[in-house]
Structure formats: C-alpha cells, structure tokens
Amino acid sequence: MAVIGAGWAGCAAAVELARAGHRVTVYEAARVLGGRARRVELDGGALDNGQHILLGAYSETLRLLKLVGIEHKRALLNLPLQMRYPPDSDGMDFVAPRWPAPLHLAAALLRAKGLARADKLALARFSSTARWMGWQLHTDCSVSELLERYDQTERLKQLMWRPLCLAALNTPPERASAQVFLNVLRDSLGAHRSASDMLLPRVDLSALFPDAAAAYVSGRGGAILTGSKAGALQRLENDRWRIDTTAENAGADFDAVVIATPAAAAAQLLEQLQDTTVSGIVAQLGAFTSEAISTCYLQYGPDVRLEQEFYALADVPEAGHWGQFVFDRGQLDAAQAGLLAVVVSASGAAAALPQAQLAAAVAAQLAQVLRRPALAQPLSARVISDKRATFACTPGLARPPNATGLAGLMLAGDYTAGAYPATLESAVRSGVLAAAGLA
C-alpha cells in the first residue's frame, strides 16, 4: 500500500496500515516530514513552521504518539486550561484548577481576574446553554452571531472568545463556523477535566510524531521516500494503482493508495483520473479558501524569560499589535533560552507585510504589553508565514469524505469531513479513518 504525503494525516494513515500488517510506501515531496506542522532548519538551528498547542481531548493523536514510542511527559508540557494575559495589560487571568469537571471551570470563573460580574455571568450563561442544547445548532452560523445571540459582553468577546476562535479554527469569529467552534468546546470544556489540558510540545513538531511514525513504518518493512513527489496517479486493471514520481526512483504499483496531500494537490491527482466518480470531491476541494498563520521568532539573550510559559495577547492591528499569543520557547526546551515565539492566526494582512516590518511591530507590541522596553530590540528575528496554513472554517462548509468512491483509493487530511477544524487531531483522525477504510 502507498501513502502520498507525510504530513500528520499521511503519517497517521501509514502507522495504522503498518500496524495492521501492511507494507507501506510513503511518498513525500519535502525532505522533512510533517507537512504544515514540521521542523524548519534555518541558520544552523531548528524552528517549527508554526507554534501549536495540543489539547488533552486529542485522543487519537495521543494514542498514536504512544504507539510509535513517544513519551508524553517528556515530549509535552501539560498545563491546565488557561487564558492568561500579561500582568498590568488590562487583560484577564483565567486558570482552571485540576479539579473534576465541571467544578474546574466553575472555580476558574469565580477566581478569574480582569472580568466584571457581568462578564462572568455571560460566560456562565453561555456554557450552561451550550450544554443544555447538546452543543448543537439547528442551523450553522458565524461565531460572532452565536455570541450575540447569547449576549456575550464585548470584553468577553475580545479577551476570551476571539482568541479561542482564532487559535482553534484559524478563522475570524465573524467568518468562523459556530458549530465547529461548539464541537471544539464540547470535547474540551464540556468533557472530563483532562480533556481541557493544554499540551505544549517540548520537541520540534517533526520529532513529536512524523519522525517516530517513519521509524515505526520502516521497522515493519515499509519505506519512506522523501524528496519524492507523486506527479501522476493512474488506475490500473483489477483496481490496482500506479504512482509515478518526479524523483529518480521509478514508479510503482500498489493495491491501495491514500492521498494525504494538501487539498489543492489532492484535487490535481484526482483530476488526472478523469473519472466522474470523484468529480464531486474535486469540486469540494476547489471550493476551499485558505487562511494564513504567521509565527514571529524573536531571539533575545538567554536571561530573557517570561513569568509564564505563554501569554495571550490582545491583537489590535490598527495599533500595530498583530500577535495573539507569545510562547517562551526556553521554558519548553532549554536549548532555546531567550527565544520567544509570537503567533498571528488568520494572518492574511500580517503575512502581506515585509517580514522585517512585521517582526519589528511584534517586538514593539511585546515591549509595550510586557512593560519591558528592551524587548523592542531583539538580537535577531525570523518570520515564518504559511499563506495556506488551513482552510477557512466557515459556516456550513462542505468537506469531502475519506472514501473517494473508487476501490482502493482514500483521501486523508485535516480538511476531510469531521467535527473538528484544521488541527493536528483532525489530520490524525482523518488518517486513521482512511487506513481503516483500506485495512
């Protein structure tokens, strides 16, 4: 069997197929595994192409990490649910104790600083109403419409709901799907306490899963072909498939194939088949629009350290404040002491700026909100922007199934039909489902 693409969806599919006893060949155009969540080697060092937070609710991701030999406690920093802004920044401080659900949320709300009584009552009302209606909407709408419907205060929208929506869906609340947002809240805030835990990678994203997945597949007779782009896919007799690549290695035939590439590349491969069976899927893939994510890495001296592992930031683009979260990478990996990573989700406008200008604006934002003027002058800065980081998770968006309708051909990716937005868990679940459809 073959898997085209070694992002998290492709790696998940390959691992599950190998676990089921199949010999798997994985084709990956890049030299580094992980797709849109991978290690980037720059200037003799390694950065991630984006900062990620996993959740305790990511059951399939955590299961596969364990399966391929990753120790959770070593690879992930486990923090309780929180939304904490820098002190004296006119933000809020919301931290859930490690109590049984839903007591942990009630305690966090009662103890929260920076929220008025009206804000707390609005948050409690939203939570209780969402639980009462089973986290389901009769008709999808935007997150902004949902928040208006349940009388959420402007301060709560700005400090809680907007950053949560951007972090989870990478789509602004005014354009984001309320139902998908509720799905995320249901499986984190609305589930057992550990489901809401926030897990920060201590290792780079390729080492967190894709590299170990490749070793798992190789150890079971499979092959990982990096720098090998699948340029052509052909259906043969007896429902077999041929993959021709742009690399030096010759093409090969397989009993089954999982296409685990980005949506646009998947559409191109399916179009080559000239089969009306997949025309609907091709149309769905072509209808996606993209949202960007930018991560600004600012290197300071090794003595620079935040009081917390990460903070939320109020993004005010008109004031040049683009960042929404800042992470102290030195608290995750001692080798990165003094490195701060600032995330800008749904960053189309920010990504259009010259990188030096965006980095300077982000550094100035940190200097102001953290009240540390020296942060305006980092030793070095690097911006990594992915203009097609995720699909825009809009209301009522039609997403293709894993099954293509053609025997032996499955689709995998965070954009396939599912309850979640474009997250690592969504990608992993899709890969698992694709493999199950072939096993």
Side-chain angles (χ1 to χ4, degrees):
M1 294 188 175
V3 176
I4 303 174
W8 284 58
C11 287
V15 166
E16 285 293 274
L17 290 172
R19 186 174 69 89
H22 300 287
R23 295 185 63 180
V24 185
T25 299
V26 179
Y27 294 91
E28 172 53 50
R31 296 292 179 182
V32 179
L33 307 180
R36 286 166 290 139
R38 70 186 185 281
R39 173 178 61 248
V40 177
E41 297 178 359
L42 295 169
D43 304 325
L47 299 172
D48 288 326
N49 71 321
Q51 177 70 49
H52 284 260
I53 298 179
L54 287 74
L55 296 176
Y58 286 8
S59 57
E60 284 298 275
T61 300
L62 295 175
R63 178 181 69 83
L64 287 193
L65 291 183
K66 183 177 180 180
L67 178 64
V68 300
I70 298 296
E71 298 180 20
H72 294 178
K73 292 183 179 180
R74 179 187 65 83
L76 296 166
L77 174 65
N78 188 311
L79 298 174
L81 172 70
Q82 56 192 270
M83 184 66 73
R84 311 190 75 176
Y85 286 78
D88 303 320
S89 65
D90 192 34
M92 62 180 286
D93 194 69
F94 180 98
V95 185
R98 296 188 187 276
W99 294 359
L103 294 178
H104 68 311
L105 294 180
L109 186 58
L110 288 173
R111 298 174 178 179
K113 300 177 182 178
L115 294 180
R117 182 173 182 273
D119 303 318
K120 294 182 179 183
L121 288 175
L123 181 54
R125 182 168 58 250
F126 181 92
S127 177
S128 61
T129 302
R131 289 174 183 273
W132 174 79
M133 65 186 190
W135 308 92
Q136 291 292 318
L137 298 173
H138 291 296
T139 303
D140 201 1
C141 62
S142 73
V143 170
S144 291
E145 291 177 83
L146 181 71
L147 299 178
E148 285 292 333
R149 187 181 304 171
Y150 293 106
D151 299 321
Q152 298 300 283
T153 65
E154 290 303 316
R155 184 168 178 80
L156 203 55
K157 292 177 190 176
Q158 182 64 28
L159 296 181
M160 175 70 85
W161 298 127
R162 176 177 170 80
L164 279 180
C165 181
L166 288 171
L169 276 66
N170 192 40
T171 308
E174 58 270 19
R175 294 191 285 106
S177 165
Q179 183 58 68
V180 175
F181 188 55
L182 285 173
N183 293 343
V184 174
L185 296 180
R186 176 198 64 206
D187 291 349
S188 53
L189 304 186
H192 53 85
R193 195 274 310 159
S194 62
S196 66
D197 285 350
M198 307 177 87
L199 312 177
L200 276 58
R202 292 183 179 273
V203 298
D204 68 70
L205 292 174
S206 293
L208 182 58
F209 176 58
D211 289 348
Y216 183 93
V217 172
S218 298
R220 286 155 182 76
I224 311 297
L225 306 179
T226 58
S228 185
K229 181 179 180 180
L233 178 65
Q234 181 182 0
R235 190 182 187 186
L236 306 176
E237 294 181 358
N238 301 321
D239 290 327
R240 286 178 61 80
W241 297 89
R242 181 173 182 81
I243 297 174
D244 291 313
T245 73
T246 56
E248 294 180 358
N249 52 291
D253 299 348
F254 299 95
D255 292 330
V257 173
V258 176
I259 299 176
T261 64
Q268 291 177 354
L269 289 171
L270 292 175
E271 282 181 318
Q272 293 176 6
L273 301 177
Q274 297 183 341
D275 193 312
T276 56
T277 304
V278 296
S279 59
I281 293 178
V282 171
Q284 287 178 321
L285 295 174
F288 285 148
T289 57
S290 299
E291 294 284 356
I293 297 178
S294 297
T295 305
C296 181
Y297 291 98
L298 302 172
Q299 182 66 63
Y300 301 93
D303 58 323
V304 171
R305 181 182 175 93
L306 300 181
E307 288 77 10
Q308 306 292 336
E309 293 86 356
F310 77 101
Y311 281 119
L313 303 171
D315 61 324
V316 188
E318 56 269 24
H321 289 189
W322 297 98
Q324 295 138 2
F325 290 93
V326 56
F327 295 82
D328 186 344
R329 298 282 294 223
Q331 296 193 46
L332 303 174
D333 178 359
Q336 294 185 331
L339 181 64
L340 303 183
V342 180
V343 178
V344 186
S345 296
S347 66
L353 297 174
Q355 291 194 357
Q357 181 180 341
L358 178 58
V362 168
Q365 178 185 5
L366 292 185
Q368 180 177 340
V369 299
L370 294 172
R371 301 183 184 277
R372 295 163 71 172
L375 295 183
Q377 300 294 329
L379 300 177
S380 63
R382 173 75 70 167
V383 175
I384 299 178
S385 292
D386 187 341
K387 294 184 179 181
R388 295 185 176 182
T390 70
F391 63 87
C393 192
T394 53
L397 179 67
R399 296 161 62 177
N402 291 100
T404 65
L406 299 177
L409 184 65
M410 301 291 287
L411 196 63
D414 58 14
Y415 50 82
T416 59
Y420 285 179
T423 60
L424 296 180
E425 176 71 0
S426 181
V428 168
R429 288 189 182 192
S430 182
V432 170
L433 288 173
L438 297 176

